[in-house]
Every structure is written in structure tokens, then in C-alpha cells.
Amino acid sequence: MNKLSIIIPVYFNELNLEPLYDDIRKKIIDIIDFNYEIIMVDDGSEDGSWKIMQKLAANDPCIRIIHLSRNFGSHAAVLCGLSNSTGDCAVVKAADLQEPTELILDMYREWEKGNNVVLAIRKDREDKSIFSNLYYWLTRQVALPKMPPQGFDVFLLDRKVIRVLEVLDEKNSSITGQILWSGFRTAEVYYVRKQREIGKSRWTLKKKIRLVTDTLFSFSTVPITLIIWIGGLSCVGSALWAIIVFFSKIIGDITVAGYTSLFIFQLFSFGIIMLTLGLLGNYLWRTFDASRKRPVYIIEDDVDNESDASEQR
């Protein structure tokens, strides 16, 4: 019999977890005809999420809870859940109750048809987001052309896809980008993203900017191409400026401003140099970070009721 793993990354979700589990039990667990496991990964929450997770795990032997030593980010939390899953396929679902739980069954049925990846794509969303629309548009244009216009956060992966993600073992990357990059046979299901009713989002501006840079530097050559174009335009501008100065001295009728114009041009050139160094430094940092071979995440606590029960038997 097939087994489905449900991965739930948790970060400051103490108010959501019990309603989420009740919803999963009502709409999935009580009606399925296959085995399941739920893996909750606490990504360094500083609220009562871990205690709620312990309570849920104590009442359901099919729940495994993992506590990371600190906040490593959603990419690391999802990868941790996938790496520790044992199902034939795994669904990643957010803990904020903004996606219909029924999507899990829809994705599972598509997997049964032979698809290795099933994406739950937003057809629309009640919580409008300018950043989200801009990010997915930019990603489609410069990095991943197959990114859905409204993006996706919920998805199902076959075991073979999970193995590929484990082999990649990339830091400073995007799990959704890696899924699209892998190119496996993909199906899509659609839903309307709900307004958040419980708790508040921890999706800060800093994390949004980090997501954009991780996507661009990991899946696009645009930053390097931008440096080349800026350098080329700077050289052309310098040449044109030199020609203007040269002919102004010959003709004598053209007045070229002195120190002010020179200062502006030097300031512009300095800005280009700093921008170039910053972009190159970003690549060097990522290379250095990967060379240190530090783990993507560190597990502090791991409670696997199902394995403990099997060992006792």
C-alpha cells in the first residue's frame, strides 16, 4: 500500500497547529485508503509551537516532530522534512491554513496517474500581494520561464524527485526553483489562496529580498550579464566624453564644464565599480559558503513515534 508523507514547516504557528491537524484529520486521514505520516519541522520558533507539536505527536503515532536548533529558513525546513520522510511521495503544506487541505488528495490522485511532481497553483488569492506578483513575474522573465504566473507554495514530490533534491544539497537557494529546474513530469492543480485568519505572517521584507537574490543568483545569469552591460556602457560613455573634450579644445566654441562635470563622472564611475564589486562579492560569498560544507540545517530534537513503536514491537 502506498504511503504519503505530509511535510509541514512550522514557524511561529502555535495558534494554527491544532486547527490544522483537525482539518487534516477530517478531510484526509479519516477518508484515505493509503498509509500516511505527518512530519512537522519547527524552524526555530520562539513561541509555543514546539509544545503544541509535542501534544499532537503524543496523540497520534503517525506524527513525527523535528525541532531545528535555530531559524534556518523555509528552504531548509522543507528540505529537512523531505529528507526525513519515508513515504512513496511527499506533500509540502504551509501551516497557516491559507490553502485548502483537500488539495492534498487532489495532488495525490495526480501522482497516482504517473506524475512525479504536482504543483498546487494559485488561481487567485484573497490576500493580494504586489511583491508576490512582481517576484513571480521577474522569476519568469529572467530565471525560470516555467514558473506559474501566480507561483506555488504547496506541492507533491515523488520519492525520486526527493532524492535529487537531497543530492543537490544547495545552500542559499529556493526549493521551488530547484523543483522547476529538475524538469520531472509535472501536473498542476488549482486553488484560491484564502485570507489568513489566525496569527500573523512572519514573511518580512528582509526575507522577501533574500528570496529574490537567492532565485536570481541560483537560477539566472542576469546579475553577471548586468555587470557586462554596465561595464560596456561605462566604457562607451568614457569614450564619448573624451571625444567631446578633445574636439572642444580644437574648435574652441564648445564650453565643457570643469571640475563639476568631472566630479559627477567620477562619482558615476565609482558607483558602477561598487555595484560590480557587490555583485561579484555575492557570488564569491555563495561559493565560500558552499565550500565550508556546513549543513543546511541542524536538528536539535527529533521525536519519531512511529519508529519508536516499531522498535518496541
Side-chain angles (χ1 to χ4, degrees), residues 6-269:
I6 302 175
I7 314 299
I8 303 174
V10 177
Y11 186 61
F12 284 90
N13 292 117
E14 63 174 329
L15 299 177
N16 299 80
L17 293 177
E18 290 184 310
L20 174 63
Y21 176 72
D22 292 340
D23 198 45
I24 292 176
R25 172 160 290 282
K26 176 182 177 182
K27 297 178 180 178
I28 304 296
I29 297 175
D30 291 343
I31 63 176
I32 59 175
D33 55 356
F34 49 84
N35 295 324
Y36 78 95
E37 68 174 353
I38 298 176
I39 300 179
M40 296 183 176
V41 182
D42 186 351
D43 188 22
S45 301
E46 296 179 0
D47 61 352
S49 295
W50 180 244
K51 291 183 179 179
I52 301 297
M53 292 164 61
Q54 290 176 311
K55 176 182 176 182
L56 293 174
N59 295 325
D60 188 339
C62 293
I63 293 181
R64 179 178 182 180
I65 57 175
I66 299 174
H67 186 268
L68 302 186
S69 61
R70 64 173 178 83
N71 178 234
F72 287 90
S74 60
H75 172 89
V78 170
L79 186 60
C80 173
L82 292 172
S83 299
N84 288 277
S85 65
T86 60
D88 299 289
C89 60
V91 168
V92 174
K93 187 186 186 314
D96 53 21
L97 291 170
Q98 291 185 264
E99 296 85 16
T101 301
E102 300 91 321
L103 279 173
I104 295 176
L105 283 181
D106 295 338
M107 290 187 286
Y108 181 82
R109 300 308 178 196
E110 289 294 329
W111 172 76
E112 287 185 314
K113 296 177 183 179
N115 295 294
N116 297 312
V117 176
V118 184
L119 307 180
I121 299 175
R122 304 183 190 102
K123 182 170 56 177
D124 196 4
R125 55 189 302 163
E126 297 176 0
D127 58 331
K128 303 298 182 182
S129 171
I130 297 176
F131 169 81
S132 178
N133 294 333
L134 180 61
Y135 166 72
Y136 290 118
W137 176 84
L138 181 64
T139 300
R140 285 171 59 86
Q141 298 302 315
V142 303
L144 298 164
K146 293 185 178 180
M147 174 66 74
Q150 294 292 333
F152 67 96
D153 295 319
V154 180
F155 49 87
L156 177 146
L157 304 178
D158 184 80
R159 176 54 53 184
K160 66 175 69 174
V161 184
I162 296 174
R163 294 194 189 101
V164 169
L165 295 181
E166 290 176 327
V167 170
L168 290 178
D169 192 27
E170 293 184 12
K171 301 178 180 64
N172 305 307
S173 187
S174 165
I175 194 77
T176 55
Q178 290 182 357
I179 293 170
L180 294 176
W181 174 87
S182 63
F184 284 95
R185 186 185 301 111
T186 302
E188 300 174 350
V189 297
Y190 295 87
Y191 73 100
V192 176
R193 181 178 170 88
K194 302 175 184 177
Q195 189 78 29
R196 182 162 185 159
E197 297 180 356
I198 303 176
K200 64 178 182 178
S201 174
R202 298 283 174 167
W203 190 231
T204 62
L205 178 61
K206 180 180 179 181
K207 292 181 178 181
K208 292 177 181 179
I209 295 174
R210 178 64 182 272
L211 175 63
V212 173
T213 57
D214 284 345
T215 302
L216 290 180
F217 284 98
S218 297
F219 302 100
S220 174
T221 59
V222 166
I224 289 294
T225 304
L226 182 63
I227 290 176
I228 296 174
W229 276 99
I230 291 177
L233 291 174
S234 179
C235 291
V236 172
S238 300
L240 291 175
W241 185 257
I243 292 173
I244 291 173
V245 173
F246 176 74
F247 280 101
S248 69
K249 292 182 178 179
I250 295 178
I251 298 175
D253 295 333
I254 301 176
T255 301
V256 179
Y259 294 107
T260 301
S261 60
L262 181 61
F263 175 76
I264 292 174
F265 185 75
Q266 287 180 332
L267 186 62
F268 176 71
S269 300

Side-chain angles (χ1 to χ4, degrees), residues 266-313:
Q266 287 180 332
L267 186 62
F268 176 71
S269 300
F270 178 75
I272 292 176
I273 292 172
M274 295 304 295
L275 174 63
T276 303
L277 290 176
L279 289 173
L280 292 177
N282 214 314
Y283 279 104
L284 289 174
W285 163 253
R286 290 164 186 272
T287 303
F288 171 65
D289 195 29
S291 68
R292 292 185 297 185
K293 298 188 181 300
R294 290 180 178 177
V296 179
Y297 56 85
I298 299 173
I299 296 177
E300 183 172 353
D301 295 301
D302 184 355
V303 181
D304 187 354
N305 293 328
E306 195 170 19
S307 294
D308 293 342
S310 299
E311 290 175 3
Q312 292 175 4
R313 287 196 295 268

